[in-house]
Amino acid sequence: MQSEEGSVRLVDVTKRFADVVAVDSLSLRVQPAEFLSLLGPSGCGKTTTLRMLAGFEEPTAGEIYISGQAVQGTPPHKRNVNTVFQHFALFPHMSVAENVAYGLRQKKEDKSQIASKVGEALEMVKMSPLANRKPRQLSGGQQQRVALARALVNRPSLLLLDEPLGALDRKLREEMQIELKLLQSQVGITFIFVTHDQGEALSMSDRIAVMLDGHVEQLADPDTIYDSPASAFVAGFIGQQNFFEGTARQQGSLVESDGWTIRSSNQSPDAVDGRPALAAIRPEAVQLLEEQPEDPVNSVPGTLAGISHLGDVIQFVVLTKGHKEILCRLPRPRAPKLEVGGDVWCTWEPDLVHVFDAQQAAVVLADPAATGTDG
Ligand SMILES: Nc1ncnc2c1ncn2[C@@H]1O[C@H](COP(=O)(O)OP(=O)(O)OP(=O)(O)O)[C@@H](O)[C@H]1O
Ligand SMILES: [Mg+2]
């Protein structure tokens, strides 16, 4: 039992609200002390999944186990689970320490116990020096720390976080991402972290569950999600892609697109010969040449239409004869000195090309809102 403390298992969990299927036969396992993110577009069922884990909602069908125990019908306060929300409501008239102590006081815990637990929790989030301040005397990041201390003070085996950094500005959010990850590895509590920011999920998680329409599209570590997306949706939602529409050939190892031949050395179980397919190539996988390469495979000619400086990387926009834009991003020291308006060839390695069936991909291309932002 000890070793299962903090584990989570969802088995075919479905949640319907009238005719809306918010969560659709979702199965998922989370290991004790794992940092797992639920990542996906608005409305894909992230919050509903968390609310079922916390006990605020009961599944319409399926089973949920926390620390190896079935939790059907167990009320929230008996689940040894805590939740931190984006809009964490601290009590404005109470000090930082009183806010953190609130739950323990409600449970009528021993005074000296409370004091030592609160002290420890404030230490964890580096808020001990500000223990006597009121919430309005704190910055947004400091308030979020207090909310975290409050959620951690009774040492839940599972902490659920619903976009907890969403209200913070970018720089503070990035700092808190690092701190939160560090804190999680120190306390050894399972974290399930909801976000629609792919950068946040990539930087913090042990594993990411990419969700779409109430189900999990792919569950894997960040490298696998980024480098080997299991579907066109995952490929397009995480980071940016150049998508080439065309026809699959040779068991999906080739896509013929607009007269070009794009070769992939990755297996494409999806792509059927002769059927519409989509090749995905990341901007950082594209190289630019000023002369035509000898091998016509994986080389697309165009005109350099734009150069933007993104700090440590330079982004080039190449326009093909068919008016397709190809994005290329190169680290500043490796970026060639090129003039806008000149002829260039885009090229890439076949192991950086992923091929998908075009039918599912249509969803990604038709709805740009479903595509993740860089944060
Ligand atoms: N109480 C409810 N009654 C009816 N429909 C609901 C209810 N709660 C959620 N839904 C619907 O279920 C779907 C999933 O909602 P959910 O809040 O889980 O999405 P989400 O992934 O958290 O989205 P966001 O990123 O916008 O927070 C949505 O279509 C939503 O409108
Ligand atoms: Mg939500």
Side-chain angles (χ1 to χ4, degrees):
M1 190 221 128
Q2 204 70 17
S3 63
E4 279 194 89
E5 190 65 33
S7 71
V8 174
R9 190 151 67 98
L10 289 98
V11 185
D12 289 333
V13 170
T14 293
K15 179 68 187 179
R16 279 191 214 99
F17 297 104
D19 57 349
V20 178
V21 182
V23 173
D24 191 4
S25 193
L26 184 139
S27 295
L28 189 72
R29 265 174 195 273
V30 190
Q31 303 302 322
E34 186 172 7
F35 194 122
L36 181 108
S37 291
L38 302 180
L39 172 68
S42 186
C44 72
K46 304 180 295 293
T47 296
T48 305
T49 303
L50 278 202
R51 289 176 58 79
M52 288 190 287
L53 286 169
F56 301 129
E57 301 282 357
E58 285 291 329
T60 313
E63 287 137 48
I64 298 178
Y65 300 85
I66 297 175
S67 302
Q69 306 287 318
V71 292
Q72 274 86 331
T74 308
H77 65 278
K78 295 217 170 123
R79 291 193 178 199
N80 201 14
V81 170
N82 246 330
T83 311
V84 180
F85 300 99
Q86 176 174 352
H87 301 288
F88 41 94
L90 299 177
F91 300 112
H93 57 286
M94 288 185 196
S95 72
V96 165
E98 287 163 349
N99 263 283
V100 177
Y102 182 80
L104 303 176
R105 287 216 179 110
Q106 290 294 98
K107 284 202 210 158
K108 304 251 187 307
E109 281 203 27
D110 181 79
K111 267 203 176 133
S112 66
Q113 279 281 347
I114 295 179
S116 96
K117 284 185 183 175
V118 169
E120 244 173 67
L122 289 177
E123 200 62 42
M124 266 192 293
V125 298
K126 298 192 213 144
M127 284 295 289
S128 309
L130 305 181
N132 296 320
R133 289 222 189 145
K134 294 278 163 59
R136 73 185 135 74
Q137 298 169 309
L138 302 174
S139 73
Q142 290 166 339
Q143 290 181 37
Q144 187 54 290
R145 274 184 202 160
V146 178
L148 264 175
R150 194 172 60 176
L152 288 168
V153 74
N154 53 3
R155 295 283 173 151
S157 37
L158 172 62
L159 189 65
L160 307 171
L161 303 105
D162 197 350
E163 312 234 5
L165 309 181
L168 306 179
D169 69 44
R170 187 190 175 124
K171 192 155 183 300
L172 188 56
R173 205 167 72 206
E174 286 171 358
E175 284 167 21
M176 286 294 289
Q177 286 169 9
I178 296 167
E179 277 192 31
L180 197 57
K181 175 64 196 157
L182 205 63
L183 179 67
Q184 189 267 340
S185 55
Q186 284 163 358
V187 295
I189 291 173
T190 310
F191 275 33
I192 300 184
F193 184 92
V194 162
T195 179
H196 59 252
D197 179 338
Q198 40 111 0
E200 194 159 281
L202 288 170
S203 72
M204 300 174 80
S205 317
D206 295 319
R207 289 189 305 158
I208 301 172
V210 183
M211 291 180 64
L212 175 66
D213 295 340
H215 69 268
V216 173
E217 281 274 300
Q218 186 171 12
L219 173 59
D221 61 274
D223 279 339
T224 306
I225 296 270
Y226 194 86
D227 293 328
S228 309
S231 69
F233 171 74
V234 176
F237 190 75
I238 312 287
Q240 273 190 303
Q241 296 279 4
N242 293 295
F243 281 115
F244 294 86
E245 288 172 87
T247 306
R249 305 277 182 224
Q250 300 183 13
Q251 278 105 51
S253 69
L254 281 188
V255 175
E256 282 173 3
S257 169
D258 240 2
W260 313 313
T261 307
I262 297 169
R263 183 187 295 284
S264 168
S265 55
N266 295 298
Q267 284 191 329
S268 314
D270 256 17
V272 179
D273 284 10
R275 283 194 33 135
L278 200 71
I281 303 158
R282 294 218 180 268
E284 67 268 28
V286 176
Q287 296 154 39
L288 291 183
L289 303 173
E290 285 181 276
E291 314 227 318
Q292 181 166 17
E294 271 169 36
D295 187 357
V297 170
N298 284 351
S299 97
V300 173
T303 307
L304 187 58
I307 303 177
S308 1
H309 296 264
L310 309 178
D312 50 351
V313 278
I314 296 186
Q315 174 169 286
F316 299 89
V317 183
V318 175
L319 208 54
T320 69
K321 263 211 309 269
H323 298 286
K324 179 178 173 50
E325 274 185 10
I326 302 176
L327 284 187
C328 162
R329 278 197 208 128
L330 297 168
R332 182 178 287 275
R334 289 207 287 111
K337 300 269 175 288
L338 298 171
E339 301 267 328
V340 170
D343 289 339
V344 287
W345 275 263
C346 298
T347 177
W348 46 80
E349 298 296 328
D351 60 323
L352 299 175
V353 180
H354 293 274
V355 176
F356 303 100
D357 185 84
Q359 202 161 39
Q360 192 214 3
V363 182
V364 184
L365 295 177
D367 181 11
T371 301
T373 56
D374 270 321

